[in-house]
Amino acid sequence: MSDPNLIEQLAGHCGVSGKYSDWAGEPVSVPTEYKLPILSAMGLNVESDNTIKQAINDIEQQRWQQLLHPVSVFTQGQPLLISLHLEDQQLGNPFKGEITLETGGQHFLSLNTGDMPVEASRTFEGKTYHHLMFKLPDDLPLGYHQLSLQNEKTESHSLIIVAPETCYEPEKLGSGNKIWGSATQLYTLRTDSDWGMGDFSSLSQLATQLAEQGADIVGLNPIHALYPANPLHSSPYSPSSRTFINPLYIDVTAVPDFSECEDAQKRFEDPEFKGQLHQAREEEYVDYSLVAWLKFGFLNTLFDHFYQHHLLTESTRGIAFRNFCENRGPSLERHALYETIYEHYKNLDINNWGWPCWESLFQDPQSNAVKEFASHNQKRIQYYMYLQWLAEDQLTKAQEAAIEAGMLVGIYRDLAVGVDSGSSDVWSNRSLYCLEAGVGAPPDGVAPQGQNWGLPPFNPQVLRAQQYQPFIEMVQANMSHCGALRIDHVMGLLRLWWCPKGKTADYGAYVYYPLDDFLGIIKLESHRRQCLVFGEDLGTVPPEIEEALPPALFYSNEVVLFECLGNHFTPPQNYKPMALTCISNHDIPPLKAWWNCIDLDLRLQLGIYDHNKAQQEKDARHREKLALLKTLSEIGEHPSGMNTDEISTMGYSRELMEKAHYYLAKTASKITVIQLEEVLQIESPVNIPGTSEEYPNWRRKLTDTLENIFSDPDNRSFFNNLGVIRRDSV
């Protein structure tokens, strides 16, 4: 192994950390040799002491030779101090500067570097560089501004981001009111008119009906773009793009072109199609292949109609589409181009799973082969842009329906922690991603070898060099057409556990990211889009996150089933007020499955647990059930007839479900959400972490339609009670 001191020095420059506290609070030191594959994944040559020394020198020299940093993020009201690096021979030279505001206004600067104190100096290859600081005007408005400095010999540009002190928070929540709503996996929704999975019209219906029951928020799983040509890739947390939307959520019959297109109308009434549609609706699990075949068959027909009657004729609707494409810019066209090439290769080989399977010339979006392909497939590229236009329009209408129905927040979206390695996002910006590593989690009590989710991480140095533009665009896209954003694994704003390719996660290390800069961008976009923000901060939460998020009005995420404290659960008044709290989520079984240990039986069946482990977990689960019943009794919500001394009385019941949710409603958290699975007393989870083919993850649907759920008098009484308890517990 190379000199450990050199490895540690390079790791320090690249944010690769050697120490952390584990899930039990015990200090852990990452072996120095574990950092080598992480550094290599960043594109650094770490084969020998000499190459490591050269990498250290290159990083340091680049920083000192940079006149201005590529990007600086400030909080409004704080001094806007800018770093400047000059060669020795330039020290004392005057510089002219210009700040171009996002709104178009300008500020002019004049710097005399001879009057500025030298903060530090460094010599490389006989040349000395000096670090100076200068201050920008205090009155720069919130936003993204361009700074340029120049003199006769040099010129440099930097992005200046000025952010507010906090995220946006609705006044009603800020004044202490409490709201409730529902969190759902959108594909699970059934309606009388769905096409085999929930869609944006289902979402509008759900939001409207929840609002009628007094709810103010409805949450979604990530609705990021997956792979239209490969519908079996269905995990919402392993998307192709976090900037665009999954077009399978489009309601075909709600597309304006549907009512205009005679071919579509005739096909919709065809008995054979009706039979296939009925089959898709009746499936217990989403049949993604069938749903995709049904929907995309129609959407192709609708696009041909739109192309002939609106795009070529430049109708009002055609112009609206062109405006959408112009507003979304090159990234939309690049994504649509990826979809088109992916479809092309999928037709050639059904095993194609992404750009790494393509011919080498097509793996580079800037290649002549790709450009030629694009020139010959413009209509197909426009088709995929059309799908994004439809999806955004229908999501917008769903949020409008939620607000018009009286919801305070409406829809909250979910931002996944990463993207698939074969994805559109990676193909579009290869240098930004480290493909020789995967994001995951360090070893803990549940997963002794840690977890590797296989999602390639951002390279923090490249992201900064790109002025955070991919991160900004991603945040803007996910805060659009909604009232709140949930950020999955919010600790990733500070650090991510990188797992070297080909090794288990226990060979990984944490890589740090610019938390304050990321928070600044999120706070700015949150205010601009009037978007509440909460972060999924479950598991091991570092102190930096605990200290930074609450002052920024960044809501937390709490889960009742994680709140067992020995012989009782956390008292309702002790929950975090500034939090979104739920009984369980997509990684935790529904309450009935939890109570009846069905999740533990599944883990045994799938080989995740052996018999001894399963029995240990069942014994622990029984103690947790007793603790929950004790807590329900203490708050006056003990289910009638349940006697903790008689196991025969402790069967799961509708009343137990309701009482547990009344406990949830009494918590101090400003936002609580339920899952419709609990109302329907569903036992099967939507996802079992650590499985792929072993279990039909991300496919299980609700067992009844929204129409029936919300017409049921018992459900309506339950919803009403939730609202009353929420109001009375303020």
Side-chain angles (χ1 to χ4, degrees):
M1 187 179 75
S2 298
D3 183 344
N5 291 326
L6 287 174
I7 298 171
E8 293 293 345
Q9 187 178 351
L10 181 59
H13 279 311
C14 297
V16 184
S17 176
K19 297 183 184 298
Y20 68 96
S21 296
D22 69 8
W23 62 281
E26 297 297 322
V28 178
S29 294
V30 174
T32 297
E33 61 267 26
Y34 285 14
K35 299 177 183 179
L36 284 171
I38 301 294
L39 294 167
S40 178
M42 291 180 174
L44 301 171
N45 187 336
V46 292
E47 293 180 355
S48 66
D49 284 355
N50 287 335
T51 60
I52 294 174
K53 286 179 184 177
Q54 186 62 51
I56 293 169
N57 185 76
D58 290 346
I59 290 172
E60 293 178 344
Q61 190 166 346
Q62 182 184 27
R63 289 175 182 171
W64 281 88
Q65 289 178 341
Q66 223 169 23
L67 185 65
L68 293 171
H69 291 317
V71 57
S72 297
V73 183
F74 300 99
T75 298
Q76 196 172 46
Q78 296 179 347
L80 277 59
L81 295 174
I82 299 293
S83 288
L84 185 67
H85 292 94
L86 295 176
E87 276 190 56
D88 191 57
Q89 64 188 25
Q90 288 187 311
L91 193 62
N93 290 352
F95 278 82
K96 295 294 183 183
E98 183 178 309
I99 304 171
T100 303
L101 302 180
E102 187 178 13
T103 55
Q106 291 181 313
H107 286 263
F108 296 98
L109 305 173
S110 182
L111 302 182
N112 186 348
T113 58
D115 296 335
M116 299 164 61
V118 174
E119 305 289 332
S121 300
R122 186 75 183 273
T123 300
F124 296 93
E125 300 173 355
K127 291 184 179 181
T128 300
Y129 299 86
H130 304 284
H131 175 213
L132 300 84
M133 302 285 288
F134 67 95
K135 189 169 176 291
L136 297 180
D138 291 329
D139 60 349
L140 287 187
L142 300 176
Y144 304 95
H145 314 302
Q146 297 293 331
L147 168 66
S148 63
L149 281 183
Q150 62 276 328
N151 63 14
E152 294 179 355
K153 295 184 178 180
T154 187
E155 182 175 357
S156 186
H157 301 271
S158 178
L159 176 65
I160 307 299
I161 303 175
V162 183
E165 292 185 8
T166 68
C167 295
Y168 167 78
E169 182 184 41
E171 184 178 347
K172 184 176 178 181
L173 291 178
S175 60
N177 286 277
K178 296 179 179 179
I179 65 173
W180 73 278
S182 179
T184 188
Q185 304 285 305
L186 182 53
Y187 58 85
T188 67
L189 299 183
R190 291 180 187 263
T191 68
D192 291 340
S193 57
D194 72 65
W195 282 37
M197 62 181 285
D199 55 35
F200 290 127
S201 290
S202 309
L203 177 59
S204 294
Q205 184 175 337
L206 173 62
T208 301
Q209 292 178 311
L210 278 170
E212 290 174 357
Q213 305 303 312
D216 281 295
I217 191 168
V218 55
L220 299 181
N221 56 288
I223 54 172
H224 306 316
L226 295 176
Y227 298 90
N230 181 20
L232 293 180
H233 183 115
S234 58
S235 171
Y237 290 95
S238 182
S240 177
S241 175
R242 290 187 288 176
T243 303
F244 298 100
I245 298 174
N246 183 358
L248 268 185
Y249 288 123
I250 295 170
D251 175 6
V252 173
T253 59
V255 176
D257 305 301
F258 180 82
S259 60
E260 298 178 4
C261 180
E262 291 185 9
D263 288 345
Q265 295 286 327
K266 289 179 182 177
R267 185 178 174 194
F268 186 74
E269 296 302 328
D270 181 81
E272 183 178 353
F273 169 78
K274 290 288 189 182
Q276 294 164 333
L277 184 59
H278 177 75
Q279 177 186 340
R281 285 177 181 157
E282 292 301 308
E283 294 286 348
E284 179 182 1
Y285 294 90
V286 177
D287 184 339
Y288 284 107
S289 294
L290 176 57
V291 172
W293 185 80
L294 293 173
K295 287 199 173 191
F296 292 134
F298 270 83
L299 289 168
N300 273 290
T301 300
L302 296 186
F303 175 71
D304 286 339
H305 174 88
F306 171 79
Y307 186 85
Q308 293 294 330
H309 294 85
H310 294 286
L311 200 53
L312 293 181
T313 64
E314 296 191 345
S315 70
T316 301
R317 185 163 163 77
I319 293 172
F321 170 68
R322 291 193 185 279
N323 289 339
F324 167 79
C325 296
E326 184 176 348
N327 290 337
R328 292 307 303 267
S331 60
L332 171 63
E333 188 167 3
R334 181 74 59 84
H335 175 70
L337 173 58
Y338 172 89
E339 299 276 50
T340 306
I341 300 175
Y342 185 102
E343 179 184 52
H344 167 76
Y345 276 101
K346 194 70 173 177
N347 289 335
L348 295 176
D349 180 3
I350 196 171
N351 294 314
N352 178 292
W353 54 270
W355 63 266
C357 301
W358 304 348
E359 296 166 272
S360 58
L361 288 176
F362 281 81
Q363 294 182 11
D364 177 7
Q366 300 296 338
S367 72
N368 290 332
V370 169
K371 291 175 182 177
E372 184 177 358
F373 179 91
S375 68
H376 291 302
N377 292 274
Q378 276 300 301
K379 184 179 177 183
R380 197 59 182 170
I381 293 169
Q382 285 180 317
Y383 163 73
Y384 281 110
M385 296 166 79
Y386 171 78
L387 295 185
Q388 289 301 314
W389 181 50
L390 297 181
E392 281 207 20
D393 179 63
Q394 292 193 1
L395 178 59
T396 301
K397 286 181 169 59
Q399 173 64 1
E400 290 171 351
I403 299 303
E404 288 172 5
M407 281 193 167
L408 174 67
V409 176
I411 295 165
Y412 82 70
R413 296 177 64 175
D414 195 353
L415 177 62
V417 70
V419 293
D420 184 52
S421 60
S423 66
S424 166
D425 279 1
V426 174
W427 178 76
S428 298
N429 195 350
R430 284 268 297 282
S431 66
L432 179 59
Y433 294 88
C434 296
L435 295 172
E436 296 301 310
V439 173
D444 58 27
V446 176
Q449 284 194 308
Q451 300 175 59
N452 185 349
W453 306 322
L455 309 171
F458 282 152
N459 185 322
Q461 283 73 39
V462 175
L463 185 61
R464 184 173 177 79
Q466 294 185 7
Q467 299 183 323
Y468 300 145
Q469 289 300 330
F471 183 83
I472 293 169
E473 184 175 5
M474 178 184 70
V475 171
Q476 289 173 337
N478 285 276
M479 284 189 180
S480 297
H481 325 302
C482 62
L485 177 65
R486 175 188 180 271
I487 299 180
D488 189 48
H489 191 67
V490 74
M491 288 77 77
L493 298 177
L494 170 73
R495 66 186 190 185
L496 286 172
W497 185 260
W498 284 31
C499 311
K501 192 172 184 179
K503 290 186 176 291
T504 52
D506 51 338
Y507 284 89
Y510 274 117
V511 175
Y512 275 73
Y513 289 82
L515 172 64
D516 290 340
D517 289 1
F518 284 173
L519 282 182
I521 292 165
I522 290 168
K523 289 186 291 188
L524 177 58
E525 293 301 334
S526 168
H527 270 277
R528 289 189 159 182
R529 296 165 194 279
Q530 302 253 293
C531 186
L532 181 70
V533 183
F534 22 82
E536 186 264 301
D537 53 354
L538 305 172
T540 304
V541 183
E544 297 94 328
I545 290 291
E546 293 179 329
E547 293 165 6
L549 298 195
L553 295 184
F554 214 114
Y555 278 51
S556 187
N557 187 192
E558 301 216 276
V559 176
V560 166
L561 293 183
F562 289 166
E563 292 294 321
C564 184
L565 306 174
N567 67 349
H568 67 283
F569 274 63
T570 299
Q573 66 272 18
N574 290 352
Y575 279 77
K576 294 177 184 176
M578 206 164 65
L580 170 83
T581 300
C582 54
I583 296 281
S584 62
N585 62 23
H586 59 272
D587 283 335
I588 305 169
L591 186 60
K592 185 176 183 180
W594 180 87
W595 187 269
N596 291 332
C597 299
I598 292 170
D599 61 312
L600 304 180
D601 290 336
L602 270 173
R603 287 179 172 271
L604 177 62
Q605 293 171 20
L606 296 173
I608 300 172
Y609 289 164
D610 59 23
H611 286 280
N612 288 336
K613 175 67 172 176
Q615 190 57 52
Q616 289 173 3
E617 292 294 325
K618 286 185 178 181
D619 292 341
R621 181 68 55 81
H622 184 63
R623 292 191 293 271
E624 290 176 338
K625 290 190 287 185
L626 293 176
L628 180 57
L629 286 176
K630 178 180 179 181
T631 305
L632 293 179
S633 297
E634 290 171 349
I635 64 171
E637 297 293 351
H638 188 94
S640 59
M642 271 197 172
N643 183 346
T644 56
D645 295 325
E646 296 183 31
I647 195 72
S648 61
T649 69
M650 291 182 59
Y652 190 81
S653 66
R654 166 82 185 211
E655 184 184 8
L656 173 61
M657 180 278 292
E658 292 188 355
K659 295 292 188 180
H661 281 81
Y662 296 156
Y663 159 66
L664 170 68
K666 290 181 178 181
T667 62
S669 301
K670 293 182 182 180
I671 306 175
T672 56
V673 291
I674 68 169
Q675 297 189 88
L676 295 180
E677 282 88 342
E678 311 292 15
V679 177
L680 295 169
Q681 301 190 62
I682 292 175
E683 296 180 337
S684 54
V686 296
N687 170 53
I688 299 180
T691 64
S692 54
E693 301 300 322
E694 305 95 326
Y695 183 82
N697 294 323
W698 316 116
R699 291 180 52 206
R700 196 264 291 133
K701 297 194 279 189
L702 297 182
T703 53
D704 208 346
T705 64
L706 295 181
E707 289 86 354
N708 290 338
I709 292 172
F710 285 95
S711 64
D712 184 283
D714 290 339
N715 292 341
R716 296 176 70 87
S717 176
F718 169 60
F719 297 143
N720 179 70
N721 291 343
L722 290 175
V724 170
I725 294 172
R726 290 258 80 195
R727 291 191 295 272
D728 290 348
S729 64
V730 173

